[in-house]
Amino acid sequence: MATRYEKDKVMCGRFTLRSSMPVLMAEFGLPESPVVKPRYNIAPTQAVATLRLALPQDMPISDEVGLAWLRWGLIPGWADDPRIGSRMINARGETVHEKPAFRKAFRERRCVVLADGYYEWRNDPSGKTPFWITRRDGRPMSFAGIWERWKKSETPIESCAIITPDATALPAEVQDRMPVIIEPEDRSLWLNPAATQERLRPLLKPCGDDELRLIRVSKHVNRPDHEDPSCIEPVAECWKRWGSGRAGVRAMKASHAESRYPARSG
């Protein structure tokens, strides 16, 4: 039986942020430096780029907003073991305001998680088939998030969770939940510490199907340590380049290993 924490793990467990720095600067107002490294396979417990009400340690974006790197998987302040965070990567939009693990963060510590797509796996007779879901126009996304500071260690841990509603028809072909995407005109309201639940909860809705596209990708993305552009390449293109079946997988892995660790000459 699933625990009360595992029941909240209903969205994808991976996403991407591979947009170029000029695009991120234009969309989110990021400074030119430090450079945000392109990521093709972000997984739970890893550090994710977020915008929140600025704290002294954050990279200033404006007078009120800062860029912070938070661990993905929220650790409630009352938790005794930080490993609980790996099971709390998502919070249901319908109940985030009332669940003990999330309600205080929802009231006081909201953020947006920077992304430009996310992965979902469809259960098929032959196994799980991965898909990458992104905007049709290619623009980055900002997922609705909440964050928390866990202080029961020598070094406090700041962590976050992504809020999910029911999926619309297109992503529901793969999974019945999806991340809340906060539109640019709503980010200031979402981050406003004085915003009431009555104003915030209408934001916890899915975006329209006409804004998204669903791309079948190869099972190369299944492993979190695979971190390269092939993760988002349409499966037909992968087959064309590497061939299908196990031989194609071996060829792809060999190519990526060579690009990471090129043979030395001489």
Side-chain angles (χ1 to χ4, degrees), residues 29-65:
L30 300 190
E32 189 171 355
S33 179
V35 172
V36 177
K37 179 183 176 181
R39 294 293 312 277
Y40 293 89
N41 203 358
I42 300 170
T45 75
Q46 296 179 355
V48 299
T50 69
L51 300 182
R52 65 180 179 182
L53 197 66
L55 295 177
Q57 67 268 30
D58 296 346
M59 172 67 68
I61 301 300
S62 67
D63 291 341
E64 298 181 343
V65 177

